[in-house]
Amino acid sequence: MIDGVVVVPLRRVVDERGTISHMLRADDPHFRGFGEIYFSSIHPGAVKGWHRHDPAWLNYACVAGTIKLVLFDERDGSPTRGELMELFLGQEHHQLVQIPPLVWNGFKAVGPGTALVANCCTHAHGTFQSERLPPFENHIPYDWSLRSH
């Protein structure tokens, strides 16, 4: 686990009409503020990342499809500096992942269809610093290739 990252199992209500999938409420104990919410679609096998933000917190949930979310801690003074964290988000893993400022993050669609990721960011884009790296040629020690165990 990377220091400061919070993973919250989310509630899903299912009945014969369909589902309601919860994500984040203002009265949740882990709610940190609201800047904007947006949705990012990602096609099968595609990678979006790497990026990090300051001082914004990210709140990710995958609302359609499946993604592999990868985090890398490069923060000065962090007890988990140099560590990687890999999580799967989607219908089978309906959870919210809160990513602290300055933690590198990226995700890859791993299912057969396009995935849709919701991000409820604590700050509106344009009001914080953002940094990006290409997904494959960088200093982060992670290989996005398909692995079979």
Side-chain angles (χ1 to χ4, degrees):
M1 209 51 183
I2 289 179
D3 186 53
V5 173
V6 177
V7 179
V8 179
L10 295 175
R11 191 169 149 236
R12 184 181 305 255
V13 179
V14 180
D15 67 21
E16 62 191 36
R17 300 166 297 163
T19 62
I20 296 173
S21 299
H22 291 259
M23 182 177 167
L24 188 62
R25 295 169 48 113
D27 59 354
D28 283 337
H30 51 273
F31 179 74
R32 296 183 177 274
F34 177 79
E36 70 173 315
I37 188 167
Y38 65 88
F39 301 90
S40 181
S41 67
I42 183 165
H43 299 302
V47 175
K48 289 192 175 184
W50 296 93
H51 41 83
R52 66 180 179 178
H53 305 88
D54 188 29
W57 283 75
L58 308 179
N59 292 279
Y60 284 156
C62 184
V63 297
T66 303
I67 65 164
K68 175 171 58 174
L69 173 64
V70 183
L71 310 175
F72 178 64
D73 189 357
E74 196 175 52
R75 297 171 293 171
D76 289 334
S78 171
T80 54
R81 182 177 170 85
E83 289 191 27
L84 286 160
M85 184 175 174
E86 186 180 81
L87 304 106
F88 289 87
L89 304 177
Q91 284 193 316
E92 292 178 24
H93 306 281
H94 185 54
Q95 54 196 359
L96 176 76
V97 178
Q98 288 188 314
I99 304 169
L102 295 175
V103 171
W104 288 106
N105 63 93
F107 50 87
K108 176 180 181 179
V110 295
T114 298
L116 187 63
V117 178
N119 179 17
C120 184
C121 189
T122 59
H123 295 68
H125 274 77
T127 65
F128 58 85
Q129 297 293 319
S130 182
E131 191 175 352
R132 297 189 178 282
L133 290 172
F136 303 103
E137 297 178 12
N138 57 65
H139 67 281
I140 296 174
Y142 189 77
D143 180 0
W144 288 100
S145 302
L146 177 65
R147 293 189 307 259
S148 53
H149 301 279

